[in-house]
Amino acid sequence: MSRLWVRFTLAFVAVSLLTAGLVAGLTAWNASRQFRGYLVEPVVLLRGGIAQVLEAYYEQNGSWEGVDQLVAFWRERAQRRRFGRALFPRGITLLIADPNGRIVFDERADAVGKFIPPEDISRALPILVNNEVKGYVLASALPPQVLEQPEQRFLSELQRSIFLAAGTSAVAGTLLGVWFSRSLARPLSALSHAAHAFARADWRSRVPAEQISNVAELRDLALAFNHMADSLQRAEVQRRNLMADIAHELRTPLSVMQGLLRAILDGVHPLTLKEVAAVYDETRLLSRLVDDVRTLSLAEAQQLPLTLQPIDARALIHRTVAHFAALADAQGVTLAAATSDQPLLVCADPDRLEQVLRNLVTNAIRHTPAGGRVTLSAVQIEDEVRLTVEDTGEGIAPEDLPFVFDRFYRGDKSRARSSGGAGLGLAIAKSLVEAMKGRIGVETTLGAGSRFWVVLPASK
């Protein structure tokens, strides 16, 4: 009873039976009422030959005198045996009038001598003798309580057909309900199995494509689950990689310090300022790595304190170029700024935005060979300011492009120190930009260079 498809099936059965029962009952009742009413319609009542009998009577007598005796005669014969019932069915009353509409015979009441109302003349059957109207006959009756055998047999067959059709419809509706409820519950069951498997750390569990329903809501739900599973699987892989990467990044400087200190203790190297400076450099590397991890964690958790204020992006770019001028000259790289003379005010945290630009410029100089060029620019587009760091370096391989902003990701799979830092610079830049309500992205051509861009709200 607790299964969804069982409840859907019971609901379809209840609705089908209720609907079929109501339709059959109302149709049978209305058919009986309409049929009984049809039997007493004037045209139907008079179709049995009353008009021909009255025409013959008038043609023989030349008037309507004594017509009451004619009606009484046929009434008596109709009551004694079935002969005559077609002319005078049980329960009907006759009214006969002359050509002027004056009543000459009334079987219902004493209305002789009165005139037929105009609205009743249209329902009356004219009595024609030699193509001349010699009178009118009206027939009326209440629907009979007890039908004759032919009429009762016809009505019974009609009602039986109605209930048979209703029963067939109910069965068809029930079968259709079972099929529909099963087809509706099957993708939900597949989704439930996938969710339970995912909860057991089966990160590969997905809703199979062949079990995704054609119903829009269920299809969207299954696709959303698969998308969520993909995201969670990536997050789990990143979490595992993060622990491994942190351990790797910490192991290298620790190993260097441990080796240096062991060499000093063993007397291999004398305790000089040079050896102390080497150990100190490794502690600075550790400290910078810890600070980067802490900054990244705070930014991703939206706990990083920010002071958003108007900043002149043009001045910030020129300041960044001046800061990295010596490093660029040492690498043989041309570092330049391409900005307008007008201030470009952007809404951001000055220290964090400068940190983003420094990370991007450091990355650009590192991957640009001697003789290359790194250009910083800024431009306002409607209510946003776009800052760009463009280089003429080796570019980024297509297979690496989707992961350049991931933590600890570096294109050099050997993770050699010569290839760069710990791999947190771009991840930190992305988190800081998003924390300031902005966007960051990259465009690259392998062998021709890369263009990193940052879009932030313009200051109002």
Side-chain angles (χ1 to χ4, degrees), residues 317-338 357-358 360-362 364-366 368 371-377 388-392:
I317 286 178
H318 284 284
R319 188 162 62 248
T320 303
V321 170
H323 178 81
F324 285 94
L327 177 62
D329 289 340
Q331 297 285 342
V333 175
T334 301
L335 183 62
L357 284 179
R358 289 189 176 190
L360 295 179
V361 172
T362 300
I365 292 176
R366 180 182 299 127
T368 300
R373 183 182 182 86
V374 176
T375 305
L376 281 71
S377 61
T388 304
V389 177
E390 185 174 1
D391 64 69
T392 58

Side-chain angles (χ1 to χ4, degrees), residues 242 295-304 405 407 427 431-432 435:
L242 176 63
T295 300
L296 182 61
S297 300
L298 290 175
E300 290 181 346
Q302 298 183 352
Q303 298 297 320
L304 188 67
F405 293 105
R407 295 169 293 188
S431 298
L432 292 177

Side-chain angles (χ1 to χ4, degrees), residues 262-281:
R262 173 56 60 184
I264 293 173
L265 290 175
D266 293 342
V268 177
H269 294 295
L271 182 58
T272 62
L273 291 178
K274 179 180 178 181
E275 302 299 329
V276 174
V279 174
Y280 177 68
D281 288 341

Side-chain angles (χ1 to χ4, degrees), residues 192-269:
S192 176
H193 290 317
H196 285 300
F198 206 81
R200 295 191 298 269
D202 182 6
W203 309 114
R204 297 172 299 176
S205 178
R206 300 291 187 275
V207 179
E210 64 274 9
Q211 295 188 17
I212 295 180
S213 174
N214 292 326
V215 180
E217 291 78 4
L218 295 180
R219 182 180 65 252
D220 293 343
L221 179 61
L223 294 178
F225 174 84
N226 287 346
H227 180 71
M228 178 199 69
D230 293 338
S231 300
L232 290 178
Q233 186 176 18
R234 285 195 299 269
E236 177 63 17
V237 172
Q238 289 176 355
R239 183 187 68 82
R240 294 176 181 178
N241 292 340
L242 176 63
M243 301 304 296
D245 291 336
I246 290 178
H248 175 85
E249 297 298 334
L250 291 176
R251 185 186 301 114
T252 302
L254 286 175
S255 298
V256 173
M257 288 189 296
Q258 185 178 16
L260 288 173
L261 292 175
R262 173 56 60 184
I264 293 173
L265 290 175
D266 293 342
V268 177
H269 294 295

